[in-house]
């Protein structure tokens, strides 16, 4: 995952702005920006990869492992988003408003720990994707679908890294401090 010093100057400035937001506003930003992005982009990636498998898997050995990695990442992310939105984020909202949380998970640190573990798993899959694609380097002679897929994967990777950074390094520590 990217550490803050590896983010661009523009990203670092944005992180600084986001760090100043009240907790509920940060939660709303994460859901409206990053969760929405994943939900909007995941089906497109699956479609691109399905086309690539049909058109290129016989001639390019990296296509099937790439397709499997993306499928695995999306399969992990979708229930992860639901757990955050239905369990963890409502609990954090309640805590931020001074309300008692009566979740079945005990201390708020328990679901946070689970989410951080799942973030680590997603980071490992992103590393595999970068290795398979040579950091999303578009091969010479690649078709438009392949080009679009790699471009979208690179954007997805960057967005997911920012998303995970916001949660692990801003949202979760603030929630634990409550």
């Amino acid at each position: 995952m990217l550490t803050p010093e590896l983010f661009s100057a523009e990203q670092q400035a944005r992180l600084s702005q986001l760090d100043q937001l009240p907790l509920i506003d940060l939660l709303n930003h994460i859901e409206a920006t990053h969760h929405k992005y994943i939900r909007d982009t995941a089906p497109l990636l699956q479609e691109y990869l399905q086309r690539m498998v049909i058109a290129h898997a016989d001639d390019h050995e990296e296509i099937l492992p790439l397709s499997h990695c993306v499928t695995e990442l999306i399969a992990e992310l979708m229930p992860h988003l639901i757990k955050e939105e239905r369990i963890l984020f409502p609990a954090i909202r309640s805590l931020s408003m001074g309300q008692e949380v009566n979740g079945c998970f005990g201390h708020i640190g328990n679901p946070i720990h689970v989410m951080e573990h799942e973030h680590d798993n997603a980071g490992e899959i992103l590393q595999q994707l970068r290795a398979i694609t040579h950091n999303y380097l578009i091969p010479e002679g690649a078709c438009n679908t392949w080009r679009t897929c790699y471009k979208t994967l690179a954007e997805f990777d960057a967005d997911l890294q920012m998303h995970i950074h916001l949660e692990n390094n801003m949202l979760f520590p603030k929630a634990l401090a409550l």
Side-chain angles (χ1 to χ4, degrees):
M1 303 314 284
L2 285 178
T3 56
E5 57 274 2
L6 296 178
F7 286 119
S8 70
E10 182 180 317
Q11 289 171 316
Q12 289 182 30
R14 183 68 180 138
L15 284 170
S16 181
Q17 291 173 337
L18 292 169
D19 198 27
Q20 302 306 311
L21 290 177
L23 200 52
I24 290 177
D25 292 342
L26 181 58
L27 277 171
N28 292 339
H29 167 79
I30 290 168
E31 285 182 320
T33 304
H34 301 289
H35 286 203
K36 182 181 182 327
Y37 179 81
I38 289 170
R39 286 193 172 99
D40 290 347
T41 308
L44 296 173
L45 287 171
Q46 290 172 313
E47 180 183 332
Y48 301 148
L49 284 160
Q50 185 177 26
R51 288 184 195 172
M52 289 171 63
V53 166
I54 291 167
H56 304 293
D58 291 340
D59 301 322
H60 297 275
E61 64 184 22
E62 69 272 25
I63 299 296
L64 284 177
L66 174 62
S67 179
H68 292 282
C69 269
V70 171
T71 299
E72 179 184 3
L73 181 60
I74 292 168
E76 287 198 17
L77 287 174
M78 293 311 182
H80 176 88
L81 298 180
I82 292 168
K83 287 185 272 187
E84 286 184 341
E85 293 169 358
R86 293 189 183 164
I87 299 168
L88 180 57
F89 288 4
I92 292 173
R93 281 186 178 94
S94 293
L95 283 174
S96 72
M97 293 186 292
Q99 300 170 350
E100 192 173 314
V101 176
N102 294 318
C104 60
F105 49 75
H107 187 271
I108 193 75
N110 294 330
I112 286 174
H113 178 72
V114 171
M115 295 300 105
E116 289 173 330
H117 177 72
E118 291 179 5
H119 289 166
D120 291 343
N121 289 343
E124 290 172 13
I125 297 170
L126 289 176
Q127 288 177 344
Q128 292 172 2
L129 287 173
R130 286 184 218 115
I132 292 168
T133 63
H134 306 285
N135 288 318
Y136 312 108
L137 179 65
I138 298 168
E140 194 169 316
C143 69
N144 286 335
T145 300
W146 198 326
R147 290 175 182 281
T148 303
C149 182
Y150 273 30
K151 180 180 179 291
T152 305
L153 274 172
E155 292 166 356
F156 193 89
D157 184 325
D159 182 82
L160 188 55
Q161 287 187 68
M162 178 64 76
H163 174 180
I164 290 171
H165 178 80
L166 288 173
E167 290 182 359
N168 285 0
N169 299 300
M170 289 183 192
L171 178 66
F172 296 163
K174 289 178 181 183
L176 288 168
L178 295 175

